Amino acid sequence: MRILVTGGAGFIGSHVVDALLAAGHDVRVLDALLPAVHRAPPQVSADVEFHAGDVRDAAAVAAALRGVDAVSHQAAMVGLGLDLDDAPAYVGCNDLGTAVLLAEMARANIGRLVLAGSMVVYGEGRYTCGEHGLVVPGPRPEADLSAGHYEPRCPGCAGDLTPGQIAEEAAPDPRNVYAATKLAQEHLAAAWARTVGGTATSLRYHNVYGPRMPRDTPYSGVASVFRSALEAGVAPRVYEDGGQRRDFIHVADVAAANVAALGRAAVGMRAYNVGTGRPRTVGQMAGALAAARGGPEPVVTGQFRLGDVRHITASPARIERELGWRAHVDFEAGMTEFANAGLR
């Protein structure tokens, strides 16, 4: 197939391009090369047709879609988006950009989309209470966080909760601007699929890390922030008590999930968790990076950010069952590679 990868010069997008080429596909890239993300010149394979352009530009999108069979939509503004001053930029990049892309795909009669989704659509993860069973805790009160009480409480009895792995059937509960835009992207894709009879697959990435990750910017993930600190000889600063549980997945596994998703044949929208199913804490991740890099040990600060969630880990059962994909990169090996890999 000939596949357009939007954002194909970026961190995840460039790995998706590599995986598609290795699988024998013809690949075209559309990327706006925004300076907030691309601080170094992008490395685009000579085997790829590159189009410089923004997904919000209908003419640029239409030109990039000519002769294409499917789209892997990786272009997005990422980060927490905690400040509402950022809302117009996030909505413009993520939701308007997706709407323009889908409209042009409909005009070009292209019926296959793989969307870079995110686990942030869930808000807090899956929790059970000994008295009330499965519950959905609300946002953690600032007073609790200030007092060092980081675990969410049961909304029924204010008791302790046990975190578990969340499945795709969980109701979305976006807790910040970025999360809201990622959920809106899924709704737009679902509407497009119903309207044109297309196949839309959202891959809800969990915490992606690996080579080519952007350096410490407002739009980089926590793994990149820690890795950048270690490169500068500075101890990683871990928020809260470091006990936040996440599912850290190597970018090579994420790229392989994109290749697998292109083979999905069913019409309509379907979402999949892309995670390892083997959660770690943020403190463990910081410690693994520091040990592999030979840098200073992490410092647990007790600081917090309103809008952050405590635990969010994935059940990858659906994607393993339906698409035959599973993560292969071992956590320790992946972190050792990442600790010594170059950043962009």
Side-chain angles (χ1 to χ4, degrees):
M1 285 192 289
R2 175 174 291 174
I3 301 160
L4 174 66
V5 181
T6 70
F11 165 45
I12 296 176
S14 66
H15 285 275
V16 172
V17 167
D18 290 347
L20 291 171
L21 290 172
H25 295 290
D26 183 9
V27 181
R28 182 180 295 162
V29 166
L30 175 67
D31 200 302
L33 302 179
L34 298 177
V37 177
H38 296 276
R39 293 184 171 183
Q43 298 174 357
V44 180
S45 170
D47 297 324
V48 170
E49 180 184 339
F50 180 77
H51 288 231
D54 196 304
V55 288
R56 293 167 289 187
D57 181 343
V61 172
L65 285 172
R66 292 192 186 105
V68 163
D69 301 302
V71 175
S72 174
H73 184 30
Q74 307 295 319
M77 183 176 178
V78 301
L80 285 178
L82 296 176
D83 190 335
L84 285 176
D85 289 342
D86 294 333
Y90 276 92
V91 172
C93 287
N94 298 350
D95 299 336
L96 176 60
T98 299
V100 171
L101 173 66
L102 294 173
E104 293 303 323
M105 286 178 65
R107 292 189 182 96
N109 198 30
I110 299 167
R112 187 174 297 274
L113 172 74
V114 177
L115 173 68
S118 176
M119 54 85 176
V120 296
V121 301
Y122 296 120
E124 283 285 356
R126 183 181 188 273
Y127 293 88
T128 53
C129 170
E131 180 178 351
H132 296 99
L134 188 64
V135 298
V136 179
R140 295 176 293 168
E142 185 172 1
D144 281 1
L145 296 171
S146 297
H149 301 308
Y150 303 119
E151 295 294 332
R153 301 176 185 271
C154 174
C157 65
D160 294 337
L161 298 174
T162 301
Q165 293 182 341
I166 200 160
E168 293 85 353
E169 293 84 3
D173 185 20
R175 300 287 177 96
N176 54 57
V177 169
Y178 171 62
T181 66
K182 295 307 288 183
L183 182 58
Q185 282 185 301
E186 290 194 355
H187 289 320
L188 288 166
W192 166 84
R194 285 192 295 270
T195 301
V196 305
T199 299
T201 307
S202 179
L203 300 178
R204 291 176 176 170
Y205 302 157
H206 283 247
N207 290 73
V208 187
Y209 71 94
R212 305 179 206 162
M213 206 168 186
R215 293 182 182 275
D216 185 5
T217 77
Y219 312 106
S220 59
V222 65
S224 176
V225 173
F226 292 166
R227 169 66 177 77
S228 297
L230 288 165
E231 187 171 42
V234 177
R237 295 178 61 81
V238 179
Y239 279 16
E240 301 185 13
D241 60 356
Q244 310 93 306
R245 288 158 54 96
R246 298 291 187 269
D247 194 325
F248 297 100
I249 181 164
H250 194 278
V251 68
D253 283 327
V254 170
N258 276 267
V259 177
L262 283 167
R264 179 173 166 262
V267 171
M269 173 70 177
R270 189 76 163 160
Y272 296 92
N273 286 332
V274 177
T276 67
R278 298 180 293 277
R280 309 279 178 157
T281 68
V282 172
Q284 287 175 318
M285 185 270 287
L289 277 179
R293 183 80 184 178
E297 293 186 2
V299 174
V300 177
T301 68
Q303 292 175 285
F304 61 87
R305 295 182 299 188
L306 291 175
D308 277 358
V309 297
R310 179 62 175 174
H311 304 297
I312 174 67
T313 61
S315 167
R318 176 187 285 183
I319 193 170
E320 291 179 3
R321 182 177 65 251
E322 296 185 7
L323 300 185
W325 172 93
R326 66 176 55 199
H328 291 287
V329 179
D330 173 77
F331 175 80
E332 285 76 15
M335 285 294 163
T336 297
E337 177 205 29
F338 179 50
N340 297 287
L343 299 178
R344 286 189 171 181

